């Protein structure tokens, strides 16, 4: 399980350093093999352990290439997918097109989302969080059945 928001820096070669607290889990679960792709609805990236990504690929394989909406999602997620392995220092190289999609500069946020991470430009992340908080406080969203039953 990945949780928490981590402020980190992107190095000059476009590598993101996975925080130490996640590395052993990633090595144990997937030998450090990761897959990164775009979020088709947000200006961020999604970073999956390989085993989690393989479940996404299975779901994508069940979509029809004849349906334009399903094919578009396949094209975006699979077309941008980049597989790689963390190096000995816990770094993972992000391709230029991935960095461009998320507008990544030097300061980024690595945000745990249970089975994956989101990677955001730090400034865009702060804007998104502020917008999310305002929507929550104003109640300007549809309460789905799952949200109605959710308590914390």
């Amino acid at each position: 399980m990945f949780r928490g928001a981590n402020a980190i820096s992107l190095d000059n070669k476009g590598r993101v350093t996975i925080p130490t607290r996640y590395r052993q889990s990633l090595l144990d679960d997937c030998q450090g093999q990761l897959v990164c792709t775009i979020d088709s609805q947000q200006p961020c990236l999604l970073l999956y352990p390989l085993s989690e990504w393989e479940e996404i690929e299975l779901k994508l394989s069940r979509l029809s290439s004849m349906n334009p909406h399903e094919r578009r999602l396949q094209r975006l997620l699979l077309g941008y997918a980049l597989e790689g392995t963390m190096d000995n220092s816990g770094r993972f190289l992000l391709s230029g097109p991935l960095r461009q999609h998320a507008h990544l500069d030097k300061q980024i946020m690595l945000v745990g989302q249970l089975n994956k991470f989101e990677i955001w430009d730090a400034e865009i992340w702060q804007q998104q969080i502020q917008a999310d908080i305002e929507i929550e406080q104003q109640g300007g969203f549809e309460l789905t059945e799952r949200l109605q039953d959710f308590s914390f």
Side-chain angles (χ1 to χ4, degrees):
M1 291 280 179
F2 306 118
R3 61 181 73 90
N6 304 271
I8 55 179
S9 296
L10 195 64
D11 74 11
N12 293 337
K13 295 181 180 179
R15 295 177 297 195
V16 58
T17 301
I18 306 299
T20 306
R21 68 182 178 148
Y22 303 119
R23 290 183 202 168
Q24 192 58 52
S25 172
L26 290 169
L27 289 170
D28 292 345
D29 294 345
C30 62
Q31 295 75 47
Q33 294 181 295
L34 305 169
V35 176
C36 191
T37 192
I38 65 168
D39 184 321
S40 63
Q41 299 179 19
Q42 298 283 329
C44 70
L45 304 178
L46 305 174
L47 183 64
Y48 291 88
L50 181 60
S51 56
E52 293 289 337
W53 174 252
E54 288 171 339
E55 291 180 30
I56 302 297
E57 279 186 331
L58 185 59
K59 292 175 186 177
L60 287 168
S61 73
R62 293 181 184 135
L63 298 178
S64 171
S65 62
M66 299 304 289
N67 179 299
H69 304 296
E70 294 178 12
R71 187 171 183 188
R72 182 173 39 251
L73 187 61
Q74 288 172 325
R75 182 182 308 119
L76 290 171
L77 295 181
L78 293 169
Y80 274 97
L82 171 72
E83 184 176 345
T85 303
M86 280 190 315
D87 68 13
N88 291 334
S89 299
R91 296 174 300 197
F92 183 81
L93 178 64
L94 300 174
S95 69
L98 287 173
R99 294 192 313 266
Q100 184 178 2
H101 170 80
H103 311 288
L104 298 182
D105 198 20
K106 187 80 174 147
Q107 300 304 312
I108 63 174
M109 296 296 295
L110 183 75
V111 183
Q113 293 292 297
L114 301 175
N115 68 332
K116 65 182 176 290
F117 295 101
E118 292 179 344
I119 301 174
W120 291 80
D121 172 78
E123 186 175 322
I124 295 172
W125 165 254
Q126 290 303 322
Q127 293 168 0
Q128 182 65 52
I129 287 301
Q130 187 59 44
D132 289 344
I133 289 170
E134 288 174 13
I135 290 169
E136 284 293 316
Q137 291 173 342
Q138 296 168 2
F141 58 92
E142 179 185 341
L143 256 164
T144 65
E145 187 175 323
R146 286 183 296 270
L147 285 176
Q148 290 174 4
D149 293 337
F150 184 78
S151 66
F152 58 97

